[in-house]
Amino acid sequence: MDMNEIKEIFFQECEEQLAELESGLLKLNDGDRDPETVNAVFRAVHSIKGGAGAFGLDDLVGFAHVFETTLDCVRSNKLEPNQDVLKVMLKSADVLADLVTASRDGGGVDEARSRGLVKELEALAHGEMPSAHAEVAKPAKAEAPKPSDDSGFQPIPFTFDGFDDDVPAAKGSVYEIGFKPRHDLYAKGNEAALLLRDLSKLGEMSVGCDMEQLPTLDKLDPEASYFSWKISLTTEKTEADIRSVFEFAEWDCDLDVKLAAAKPSDEELPMVPVPFDLSSLDDELGSDTKAADEAAAVVATEAAANVSKMAAAAARVEKKEAAAPAPAPAQAAATAAAGQTIRVDLDRVDRLINLVGELVINQAMLSQSVIENDASGTSAVNMGLEELQQLTREIQDSVMAIRAQPVKPVFQRMSRIVREVADMVGKQIRLVTEGENTEVDKTVIDKIAEPLTHMIRNAVDHGIESPEKREAAGKDPEGTIKLSAKHRSGRILIELIDDGGGINRERVKQKAIDNDLISPDANLSDEEIDNLIFAPGFSTADTISDISGRGVGMDVVKRSIQALGGRISISSRPGLGSTFTMSLPLTLAVLDGMVVTVAGQTLVVPLTAIVETLQPEASAIHSFGATQRLISIRNSFCPLVDVGRILNFRATQANPVEGVALLVESEGGGQRALMVDAIQGQRQVVIKSLEANYTHVPGIAAATILGDGRVALILDVDAVVAASRGQSLSPEMSLAATG
Amino acid sequence: MKKKVLTVDDSRTIRNMLLVTLNNAGFETIQAEDGIEGLEVLEGCNPDVIVTDINMPRLDGFGFIEGVRRNDKYRAIPILVLTTESDAEKKNRARQAGATGWIVKPFDPAKLIDAIERVTA
């Protein structure tokens, strides 16, 4: 793993943290006051800051730091997370997300906005606890004298009088260092011998150990600290350098560093000066040092050789005891505790899905050849095959489930869009989401975000009225947009419901007339008028606003939904709001299809597109113009489309009476009767991309391999319908004829 | 013999950076995602040194350090805390909980290794 990969992980993690941050803030916004929610929010920002620091993403660190500081005020109950505070925080979360994106993909962010928010955040932190920010922002310099803490000892006051940190002492200065560790030093895992070792690296050193305090063995407390050391160090380093060796331990020892005026001389203490030899220390200590604590320190002095041996032996025993009840499960515990989810490279999952696809095809081929050889269908082979078929199907479903993801991240993104757009147009809007944990294939999730974003923008910009208008109409000035997801009959249903003014049908119709989409005298039902907003090149806003008028119309939304094998419809009630309903397949890897024959070719028609199938009677067929024919179904007319003709499988139209008509729903909710020669049956097929393996073919969505090993093309129903319209019908008439 | 380091951090990014840094420096690395898991993993892995974050879900760094220090078998293990420059107060709390030393985030690999060398034999 290199830094780039870790950076990739960092950005992935950022996405997760941002989602965590936003959902936490929204929970707080809903009145949740669980400290764990606040903690989670704080951690999310803290984590982003930590990682960003590691990669030198200074802008991100800077903003996250200010944000974190304010969150810390909330965490320590110094700032009440009321609506106003949360509004700033939600916006800050958005800016943080922008900064993450900018750090990943390059490009800038709205600096004025982020600067403004920094000010707002700082004001929040200052307002509630004036000194907090200043203290945190200032790097905590030098761990010099700290106020005494609760651990029951006084800090050692020392000054740097007469010394300047940055000015090295005269070459080869001699320092007298007194070092007396307290019990706490050892309790915190520090080790006198190691500190002496580090000190010895600064220069030439000799150490004397004072063992005066050592009691007799029967009175010896193995946990107590009895030794102190006198060190004489000749070094070019400064006093600050010497003290920095004791950086971790300075609270837990008496430390006295003096520049010796003269050559060091042995003092009245009964101690044995010994040259401090690092290598021999290491040899003697070996790996037992850690547990040995005081014992290790004793080793440093030759005088206490006997005690040392005893203690070292004791330490070894202790170590063995420690190691003994630690058998093999250690490693297992380490990995097992890692959590209930694993991360898998998407490529691996896709490969698995492809393989299962092959398996399904193979199983189908096998079944078919067995059936051909065993017409009775009762042999053991046959029964086994049936089980195999069931298993294959189950494996397939399970593999699909791996790719399934909750729609939550996409829904969460929407709440940000609602916030931003509502802010821009001065409306008050609440987004309510439902069924966020509904799962659908990752590809579908990835592709749904864009059309959904557009629809949300539209709903905020055009759907919900201004607070004044709403109040005038007797509604809550705060509008509500509800976004929900649920599973229904093997598809996912996403609904976007606003409680706005609904579609202004008069205006929509007028606009459609102005844009030559319908003829002025066209007689349209309410539903047909509502559906006009999906017509290409339609925009209802009188003035194209900054928000939704970005050259993308609802027709584009509709097309992207259809490209996913989905459908979208609208229903609207004037004054009460509109509901957009999207129905999407759960996966793009398999498809339930109807296998049909057209001019000797086998084609697959997606089952979701088919409303019904029927055998046309001669009396129901009516000619319309030179080539066009209509079929009358329950007193309404529906254009007949000969699939074989459209795809150029044959030169002339087939006789409808000899074939089967598939009634399909197409763009705009209109219906068409697709003529095919015969129906072979229904089956689930594995979708194989034509684009990836060959090239795009108009009218064909993809291909599949059937049980007998033949390739069958999957019909692109909408493209076929569109082609049939372009061939013979003018746009106005096609619209007037729909429904 | 390789020195064994137990790292406890909830951030995948930092965990990976620690892993790479420590492995490159020739340490054996064992990782945990929070204090609770840290204490679970500790039981049995018997590391030479522990590196832990402070802000973590379930059990934070302070609680984790106290847990280690309460454990008779493992209480002598040096514990280094990953902290940020601005957190003098946190550093103090970590020390009171029983931390041996600290490493300032964003950590510099050389400093991390240096700090580990300082507290281990």
Side-chain angles (χ1 to χ4, degrees):
Chain A
M1 191 174 317
D2 61 16
M3 281 310 270
N4 280 336
E5 283 172 70
I6 296 179
K7 204 166 177 176
E8 196 49 47
I9 290 172
F10 165 65
F11 285 122
Q12 279 174 16
E13 199 173 11
C14 276
E15 292 296 324
E16 290 159 29
Q17 303 289 5
L18 287 169
E20 188 83 9
L21 169 64
E22 176 150 4
S23 75
L25 287 175
L26 289 173
K27 268 193 223 166
L28 293 175
N29 207 15
D30 288 342
D32 184 338
R33 287 292 177 273
D34 185 348
E36 193 33 52
T37 308
V38 182
N39 277 337
V41 164
F42 177 85
R43 268 201 310 274
V45 177
H46 183 77
S47 254
I48 291 175
K49 182 178 108 174
F55 295 107
L57 305 170
D58 295 339
D59 289 352
L60 193 51
V61 173
F63 189 82
H65 178 72
V66 177
F67 196 0
E68 181 189 19
T69 306
T70 309
L71 281 169
D72 202 27
C73 296
V74 175
R75 199 165 66 142
S76 52
N77 293 322
K78 284 171 186 150
L79 179 64
E80 160 69 18
N82 57 29
Q83 299 280 325
D84 292 336
V85 170
L86 282 164
K87 204 166 173 190
V88 175
M89 294 202 162
L90 281 164
K91 277 194 221 158
S92 305
D94 295 344
V95 168
L96 195 64
D98 286 346
L99 284 164
V100 168
T101 311
S103 305
R104 181 181 52 206
D105 306 335
V109 291
D110 187 344
E111 285 195 22
R113 187 163 181 236
S114 76
R115 268 201 305 275
L117 275 167
V118 164
K119 285 214 182 77
E120 284 188 67
L121 286 170
E122 281 175 344
L124 287 176
H126 274 285
E128 306 295 324
M129 49 179 267
S131 63
H133 182 67
E135 191 202 311
V136 181
K138 182 175 56 189
K141 184 114 206 248
E143 338 310 326
K146 281 278 168 288
S148 84
D149 51 35
D150 318 331
S151 46
F153 59 87
Q154 290 297 312
I156 321 117
F158 52 78
T159 60
F160 293 115
D161 287 353
F163 295 100
D164 190 324
D165 287 20
D166 298 316
V167 181
K171 193 180 165 97
S173 306
V174 180
Y175 289 92
E176 295 287 347
I177 302 162
F179 170 48
K180 179 167 176 26
R182 278 187 291 258
H183 164 75
D184 278 29
L185 183 142
Y186 301 108
K188 286 172 190 162
N190 268 306
E191 172 50 60
L194 295 176
L195 292 167
L196 293 175
R197 179 187 69 179
D198 281 355
L199 200 57
S200 75
K201 289 175 185 161
L202 296 180
E204 204 143 311
M205 182 170 106
S206 70
V207 184
C209 181
D210 174 5
M211 291 176 291
E212 273 287 89
Q213 309 281 317
L214 191 68
T216 51
L217 194 56
D218 57 330
K219 292 194 180 113
L220 185 122
D221 171 4
E223 297 268 317
S225 171
Y226 296 113
F227 301 126
S228 60
W229 284 267
K230 282 267 174 198
I231 303 135
S232 165
L233 178 69
T234 311
T235 178
E236 292 173 28
K237 299 280 164 68
T238 63
E239 177 176 339
D241 290 329
I242 294 171
R243 288 194 179 274
S244 79
V245 168
F246 296 92
E247 184 189 1
F248 295 160
E250 60 179 325
W251 291 268
D252 302 318
C253 63
D254 294 319
L255 184 65
D256 179 35
V257 183
K258 275 194 308 224
L259 191 59
K263 222 177 116 56
S265 64
D266 296 350
E267 294 172 25
E268 62 284 359
L269 276 166
M271 64 175 197
V272 193
V274 290
F276 191 83
D277 180 359
L278 187 61
S279 60
S280 75
L281 171 67
D282 274 352
D283 287 350
E284 273 190 77
L285 288 179
S287 60
D288 292 332
T289 318
K290 182 169 36 101
D293 280 345
E294 283 94 336
V298 174
V299 176
T301 65
E302 289 166 8
N306 286 335
V307 182
S308 137
K309 272 183 196 146
M310 253 173 64
R316 258 180 230 115
V317 172
E318 198 184 317
K319 177 105 178 169
K320 270 191 198 115
E321 274 170 0
Q331 210 62 30
T335 45
Q340 293 120 329
T341 59
I342 55 162
R343 314 199 133 248
V344 182
D345 205 19
L346 201 55
D347 287 346
R348 292 193 193 179
V349 178
D350 285 345
R351 185 173 149 70
L352 189 59
I353 285 178
N354 273 334
L355 283 174
V356 172
E358 301 291 333
L359 179 68
V360 170
I361 291 165
N362 221 287
Q363 174 266 321
M365 288 167 71
L366 194 59
S367 298
Q368 191 144 343
S369 65
V370 167
I371 289 165
E372 277 163 15
N373 292 311
D374 174 25
S376 69
T378 52
S379 72
V381 175
N382 226 313
M383 310 239 287
L385 263 179
E386 250 166 57
E387 261 167 56
L388 178 66
Q389 187 173 354
Q390 221 159 14
L391 276 176
T392 318
R393 186 91 188 204
E394 256 175 64
I395 294 175
Q396 194 173 16
D397 288 349
S398 313
V399 172
M400 294 302 167
I402 297 178
R403 272 190 67 105
Q405 303 260 306
V407 292
K408 194 172 181 176
V410 176
F411 276 23
Q412 268 178 347
R413 244 185 286 170
M414 296 308 137
S415 72
R416 166 177 186 176
I417 288 158
V418 169
R419 268 200 308 280
E420 284 187 348
V421 180
D423 247 23
M424 261 192 253
V425 297
K427 293 178 183 174
Q428 298 167 18
I429 298 171
R430 202 159 60 97
L431 179 75
V432 180
T433 55
E434 214 173 74
E436 297 176 311
N437 293 322
T438 312
E439 291 191 331
V440 65
D441 190 277
K442 194 181 177 326
T443 324
V444 177
I445 291 188
D446 291 346
K447 291 191 173 161
I448 188 79
E450 205 172 306
L452 205 55
T453 305
H454 189 76
M455 288 167 66
I456 291 268
R457 283 174 180 280
N458 262 328
V460 175
D461 198 16
H462 306 313
I464 305 280
E465 317 91 322
S466 64
E468 301 81 45
K469 263 195 198 167
R470 290 181 65 90
E471 254 176 310
K475 293 182 181 178
D476 184 346
E478 186 185 53
T480 305
I481 294 177
K482 189 172 142 188
L483 188 58
S484 76
K486 60 185 164 215
H487 282 150
R488 188 190 282 173
S489 56
R491 290 171 76 82
I492 182 171
L493 209 66
I494 298 178
E495 279 186 328
L496 179 69
I497 305 168
D498 69 63
D499 68 347
I503 301 260
N504 184 338
R505 297 203 172 108
E506 279 305 302
R507 213 167 78 195
V508 166
K509 193 172 171 188
Q510 192 53 49
K511 202 103 192 172
I513 293 168
D514 294 350
N515 291 357
D516 280 340
L517 292 171
I518 53 168
S519 61
D521 51 356
N523 186 12
L524 302 183
S525 68
D526 286 351
E527 203 187 337
E528 282 167 338
I529 297 174
D530 291 349
N531 275 301
L532 280 172
I533 64 163
F534 293 119
F538 189 91
S539 174
T540 51
D542 285 335
T543 49
I544 289 179
S545 68
D546 181 28
I547 297 111
S548 40
R550 291 192 175 171
V552 191
M554 286 302 284
D555 58 321
V556 177
V557 169
K558 178 160 194 172
R559 237 176 293 141
S560 23
I561 301 282
Q562 279 170 338
L564 286 171
R567 282 193 301 268
I568 180 167
S569 64
I570 174 175
S571 72
S572 177
R573 284 177 300 166
L576 295 173
S578 312
T579 300
F580 287 89
T581 309
M582 278 166 282
S583 143
L584 291 156
L586 290 179
T587 168
L588 301 180
V590 289
L591 171 107
D592 278 308
M594 185 168 281
V595 185
V596 299
T597 314
V598 178
Q601 302 285 328
T602 303
L603 291 177
V604 178
V605 184
L607 211 55
T608 49
I610 300 175
V611 180
E612 65 176 291
T613 62
L614 49 109
Q615 200 99 47
E617 288 173 24
S619 60
I621 311 290
H622 304 271
S623 283
F624 184 74
T627 55
Q628 196 60 30
R629 277 171 298 179
L630 301 176
I631 180 168
S632 126
I633 304 163
R634 292 183 286 277
N635 293 331
S636 73
F637 288 100
C638 174
L640 259 184
V641 179
D642 183 355
V643 176
R645 183 73 202 90
I646 294 281
L647 296 178
N648 276 325
F649 285 175
R650 52 186 161 222
T652 55
Q653 295 204 25
N655 182 358
V657 185
E658 289 168 7
V660 181
L662 309 177
L663 204 60
V664 296
E665 200 139 278
S666 71
E667 276 182 78
Q671 293 187 337
R672 289 288 187 287
L674 298 186
M675 286 307 306
V676 300
D677 296 349
I679 290 175
Q680 295 182 14
Q682 277 179 24
R683 86 184 48 149
Q684 192 174 48
V685 297
V686 178
I687 299 173
K688 298 269 171 196
S689 164
L690 264 189
E691 278 89 342
N693 298 309
Y694 177 55
T695 170
H696 177 72
V697 181
I700 302 299
T704 188
I705 301 168
L706 295 174
D708 57 9
R710 280 186 300 142
V711 172
L713 299 176
I714 300 172
L715 203 63
D716 181 343
V717 172
D718 285 320
V720 166
V721 169
S724 79
R725 195 156 57 201
Q727 192 184 355
S728 53
L729 289 172
S730 68
E732 300 107 61
M733 292 175 80
S734 100
L735 263 161
T738 53
Chain B
M1 205 181 83
K2 271 189 180 183
K3 274 182 202 164
K4 211 188 277 180
V5 185
L6 168 63
T7 72
V8 188
D9 196 309
D10 61 326
S11 157
R12 215 157 58 238
T13 310
I14 303 293
R15 275 205 304 279
N16 276 295
M17 298 191 71
L18 286 169
L19 187 69
V20 170
T21 308
L22 293 172
N23 284 355
N24 285 347
F27 292 100
E28 182 183 341
T29 313
I30 295 151
Q31 300 201 299
E33 292 179 16
D34 58 41
I36 300 264
E37 198 196 343
L39 290 176
E40 282 166 9
V41 172
L42 175 71
E43 205 60 51
C45 85
N46 199 18
D48 295 286
V49 62
I50 297 170
V51 177
T52 181
D53 189 25
I54 292 297
N55 278 298
M56 293 183 290
R58 298 211 292 166
L59 180 64
D60 65 13
F62 304 127
F64 170 72
I65 295 169
E66 281 162 7
V68 175
R69 292 289 177 243
R70 266 198 304 271
N71 185 321
D72 276 347
K73 266 188 279 179
Y74 304 112
R75 67 190 165 119
I77 297 173
I79 302 175
L80 294 171
V81 175
L82 285 168
T83 163
T84 40
E85 186 70 51
S86 55
D87 271 337
E89 183 213 344
K90 236 171 245 165
K91 205 149 58 178
N92 263 333
R93 271 190 68 193
R95 240 180 30 72
Q96 281 169 41
T100 310
W102 48 85
I103 302 153
V104 171
K105 273 201 290 195
F107 69 83
D108 163 6
K111 280 187 187 149
L112 171 74
I113 302 304
D114 182 56
I116 290 178
E117 298 286 358
R118 278 175 80 173
V119 297
T120 55

